[in-house]
Amino acid sequence: QVQLVESGGGLVQPGGSLRLSCAASGNIFSGNAMAWYRQAPGKERELVARITSGGTTKYADSVKGRFTISRDNAKNTVYLQMNSLKPEDTAVYYCSYSVTYYLPPNYWGQGTQVTVSS
């Protein structure tokens, strides 16, 4: 089992920044991947950014150049730095953990709300 605890969501004005954190605990092994997904009201959950334990990253086209995913393997923590936020970034953001980097997520966090509004 793996537990994921997210933090850092909130209300921010357009053009502002937020940093999300997700700490993983439990049976953590090498070769994993962690990611951030988001789900806006009435929409499907979508991948925002993903990073393997080796540091390979992948981003949704909509956030490239604005968001940066990073991780601290010693702390089993993944971060999402979000800059130049737009109202369309408003969603519940979920952290995920894949036991093996090439598989879909096996575990999910509880989600954290990000609201971009003036």
Side-chain angles (χ1 to χ4, degrees), residues 12-62:
V12 64
Q13 292 186 343
S17 298
L18 278 177
R19 188 194 196 205
L20 305 182
S21 300
C22 174
S25 61
N27 296 326
I28 307 296
F29 299 98
S30 61
N32 63 66
M34 296 184 74
W36 290 96
Y37 286 73
R38 67 186 180 187
Q39 187 166 20
K43 294 187 176 182
E44 294 186 354
R45 189 173 298 189
E46 62 175 358
L47 174 68
V48 176
R50 188 175 190 267
I51 185 168
T52 69
S53 55
T56 300
T57 59
K58 178 181 178 180
Y59 294 91
D61 288 342
S62 59

Side-chain angles (χ1 to χ4, degrees), residues 12-115:
V12 64
Q13 292 186 343
S17 298
L18 278 177
R19 188 194 196 205
L20 305 182
S21 300
C22 174
S25 61
N27 296 326
I28 307 296
F29 299 98
S30 61
N32 63 66
M34 296 184 74
W36 290 96
Y37 286 73
R38 67 186 180 187
Q39 187 166 20
K43 294 187 176 182
E44 294 186 354
R45 189 173 298 189
E46 62 175 358
L47 174 68
V48 176
R50 188 175 190 267
I51 185 168
T52 69
S53 55
T56 300
T57 59
K58 178 181 178 180
Y59 294 91
D61 288 342
S62 59
V63 306
K64 284 181 181 177
R66 300 188 298 121
F67 292 10
T68 302
I69 189 169
S70 61
R71 63 186 291 169
D72 183 335
N73 288 334
K75 296 181 179 179
N76 292 322
T77 299
V78 65
Y79 306 96
L80 185 68
Q81 178 65 44
M82 305 184 293
N83 298 328
S84 302
L85 283 160
K86 304 175 181 180
E88 51 263 43
D89 294 317
T90 295
V92 178
Y93 284 68
Y94 296 91
C95 176
S96 73
Y97 177 89
S98 300
V99 172
T100 304
Y101 71 92
Y102 53 83
L103 292 178
N106 304 97
Y107 301 96
W108 295 90
Q110 80 283 0
T112 185
Q113 176 70 45
V114 172
T115 302

